[in-house]
Amino acid sequence: MSPLPALVMLPILGGGVAWLADRPRPGAAWRIALLTLVLETVLLLVTTFAHPTHAGPWREHFSMPWIPALGIAIRLDMDGLSLSLIWLSLILCFPCVFLATRQVTGNTGAFHFTMFAALTGIIGTFLATDLFVFFFFWELMLVPMFVLIAAWGHEDRQRAAMKFFLFTQGSGLLMLLSILGLVTAHYRATGVLTFDYFTLAATPLSPGLSMLLMMGFFIAFAVKLPVVPVHVWLPDAHTQAPTAASVLLAGILLKTGGYGMIRFNVMLFPDAATRFAPVAMGLGVAGILYGAWLSCAQDDVKRLIAYSSISHLGFVLLGIFTGSRMGMLGAIVQMLAHGLSTGALFLIAGSIQDRLHTRDMYRIGGLWGAMPRLSSMGLFFAVASLGMPGLGNFAGEFLVLLATWHVSPPIAVLASTGLVLAAIYALRMVNRIFLAPPQASLPPVTDLAAGQVTIFGCIMAFLVVLGLYPQPFMTFASPSPLSIAAASSRGEAAP
């Protein structure tokens, strides 16, 4: 029996139990949330190391009819790309539960349920290979994130949550129109009504229609990645979100955009993606430079990290559209490394804000003497974020730049400039927050506990391994070829 449905449903069921148990037994929500994550991890371990139950390049497969009259089935498939991103999701959820959700004092059961509902939407997005089901999970993860920001965020949370929802929901509707257009084109060409990803990949399309449909997908994924100029929701959402939601946003939710570009733009519309590649690469470079430049001008530490995410994820867009395997693998490694390093930076920024009640770097200043453990962790992740050799971010960005150089040396040179700016804003953040003379008005603060240091240490170890020996990750996380997958799919029973 395929474990994929359990992987999708377990988080939201565990979150529901946590919510119900919170009222009669305060504190039970945290323990149930932790137990849910442990069970989900065990299930994913079994899925990762067990012999695949499905023949072909995809590791696992699950399919059952849902609305046969419309050709819709609950179809889930897992390859290395989706498996690696699910692992990233779980790795980041543990520090969220250990460090961030303990700081939530009101409606903790509802908070855990909402967070785990978002996790269900994210995992479902990484697994769905029926386009209707994919859209269902894509929309499902937006609502809990909106609630997390609006209900548990900071002072201007309502405006930030509304901006996040309008951008992501509006772009999602464009993707729905593209899905319906692709299904209609396939029905007119073959007489078969289906939302099956592999069947639709073989739909004959004119160049103009192919480009039009691909753009609907691209805009939705570009908003989520985020790509300049549709990134404007991101800084406010990150700044106003509670720490756990910031980690989910930066570490996992943004990766659904990169995942969608690989799975749908490049693999579903290869010809249109090739023709669109120069524009996409230009947008990638614009994001790298724009995000890095604005990061240098920020005094709010969470806004600085948010703008740096726009810059780092520009490398992901650049790598995906280089048209080479090296660029694609670089983009995937960059997504994994960015999720770990930026997620950890948001955890540190949240810890500072909880202790000092400010995000202004000039008011924080000089924490090294008072909080040496937190400061050393912050220094490590800032250095990882700027692309220090030997750490995961460097491996991803180096592969992307090398692939870009083969396509366009000028674009590679411009993208490299972003690394110089990254060094400037990362070292400025380190100097202002950790190494500057301590503020006279700094209140007494407590450093990280040993358990918290252990959690950050695990994330550091992942980044070091990813930087020093990325080959296993590159092999493990590669997306399965669509042509082979399609051939395998034709051997399955039709939904």
Side-chain angles (χ1 to χ4, degrees):
M1 182 178 178
S2 174
L4 300 185
L7 271 176
V8 175
M9 295 306 298
L10 184 59
I12 195 168
L13 293 176
V17 174
W19 192 1
L20 293 174
D22 183 57
R23 285 189 178 276
R25 299 185 63 183
W30 181 81
R31 288 189 287 273
I32 294 173
L34 186 59
L35 177 63
T36 302
L37 274 184
V38 171
L39 292 176
E40 182 81 354
T41 304
V42 170
L43 188 58
L44 193 58
L45 274 172
V46 172
T47 308
T48 303
F49 294 106
H51 183 73
T53 59
H54 179 60
W58 291 62
R59 300 181 60 85
E60 292 290 344
H61 166 75
F62 173 82
S63 181
M64 65 174 288
W66 184 11
I67 311 176
L70 298 178
I72 298 173
I74 300 175
R75 177 170 184 137
L76 307 172
D77 288 278
M78 173 185 280
D79 66 351
L81 176 61
S82 48
L83 180 58
S84 62
L85 290 173
I86 293 173
W87 267 117
L88 174 67
S89 306
L90 289 187
I91 289 171
L92 288 176
C93 278
F94 273 102
C96 282
V97 171
F98 269 112
L99 304 181
T101 61
R102 300 302 297 270
Q103 300 158 357
V104 177
T105 56
N107 295 320
T108 55
F111 183 89
H112 285 95
F113 170 75
T114 311
M115 191 179 83
F116 278 20
L119 181 62
T120 285
I122 291 167
I123 293 176
T125 298
F126 289 145
L127 293 177
T129 49
D130 181 284
L131 267 60
F132 186 86
V133 177
F134 176 82
F135 180 76
F136 172 81
F137 284 120
W138 182 267
E139 295 295 300
L140 175 63
M141 65 181 161
L142 302 183
V143 178
M145 189 57 65
F146 168 81
V147 176
L148 283 173
I149 299 172
W152 287 279
H154 299 295
E155 60 277 3
D156 199 17
R157 57 185 181 274
Q158 300 289 346
R159 187 178 65 85
M162 187 59 69
K163 186 187 289 187
F164 162 78
F165 192 78
L166 290 177
F167 268 85
T168 51
Q169 176 74 5
S171 60
L173 292 178
L174 289 178
M175 182 171 68
L176 177 61
L177 291 176
S178 283
I179 291 173
L180 295 177
L182 180 61
V183 170
T184 303
H186 185 271
Y187 179 73
R188 287 180 176 175
T190 65
V192 176
L193 184 61
T194 180
F195 284 79
D196 184 290
Y197 169 81
F198 303 109
T199 304
L200 292 175
T203 304
L205 298 172
S206 66
L209 181 58
S210 176
M211 179 64 75
L212 184 65
L213 296 178
M214 191 214 67
M215 286 304 299
F217 284 94
F218 179 81
I219 292 172
F221 300 142
V223 168
K224 195 65 72 68
L225 192 53
V227 175
V228 174
V230 288
H231 67 286
V232 292
W233 61 272
L234 182 77
D236 288 341
H238 271 313
T239 305
Q240 299 302 323
T243 301
S246 291
V247 176
L248 284 182
L249 265 174
I252 309 171
L253 206 74
L254 304 187
K255 308 305 176 297
T256 59
Y259 170 84
M261 287 184 181
I262 295 173
R263 186 74 82 208
F264 293 91
N265 287 117
V266 174
M267 299 180 71
L268 206 55
F269 305 99
D271 295 334
T274 302
R275 285 182 280 131
F276 186 68
V279 178
M281 293 178 71
L283 292 173
V285 172
I288 291 170
L289 299 178
Y290 172 84
W293 181 259
L294 285 190
S295 293
C296 294
Q298 301 303 315
D299 294 330
D300 185 318
V301 61
K302 291 186 78 173
R303 289 186 78 86
L304 186 153
I305 302 170
Y307 277 111
S308 74
S309 292
I310 297 171
S311 179
H312 293 307
L313 293 173
F315 283 97
V316 174
L317 179 62
L318 198 59
I320 290 172
F321 281 91
T322 54
S324 68
R325 176 175 169 78
M326 183 190 298
M328 183 76 75
L329 293 177
I332 294 170
V333 171
Q334 175 70 354
M335 283 198 288
L336 299 176
H338 175 268
L340 295 171
S341 61
T342 304
L345 281 175
F346 271 116
L347 283 169
I348 289 173
S351 299
I352 294 173
Q353 184 175 9
D354 291 335
R355 287 166 170 81
L356 302 178
H357 306 291
T358 180
R359 300 186 300 267
D360 189 338
M361 293 193 296
Y362 285 91
R363 294 179 59 193
I364 297 171
L367 286 182
W368 195 282
M371 305 177 70
R373 293 176 180 173
L374 182 141
S375 302
S376 57
M377 297 294 162
L379 175 62
F380 177 89
F381 291 115
V383 168
S385 180
L386 66 84
M388 179 66 71
L391 300 176
N393 298 65
F394 173 79
E397 290 169 357
F398 179 77
L399 286 171
V400 170
L401 288 176
L402 198 58
T404 305
W405 181 266
H406 291 298
V407 178
S408 172
I411 290 181
V413 172
L414 282 173
S416 302
T417 309
L419 298 181
V420 179
L421 295 173
I424 293 174
Y425 66 70
L427 295 179
R428 177 172 171 266
M429 178 177 68
V430 168
N431 283 328
R432 288 307 318 166
I433 296 179
F434 305 122
L435 302 179
Q439 296 281 350
S441 58
L442 195 69
V445 289
T446 56
D447 203 351
L448 295 178
Q452 296 170 319
V453 173
T454 303
I455 295 170
F456 280 115
C458 293
I459 302 176
M460 293 165 68
F462 281 122
L463 280 172
V464 172
V465 173
L466 193 59
L468 293 180
Y469 192 42
Q471 183 58 45
F473 294 93
M474 293 162 61
T475 305
F476 175 77
S478 298
S480 295
L482 183 57
S483 56
I484 301 174
S488 171
S489 175
R490 284 192 288 272
E492 299 292 333

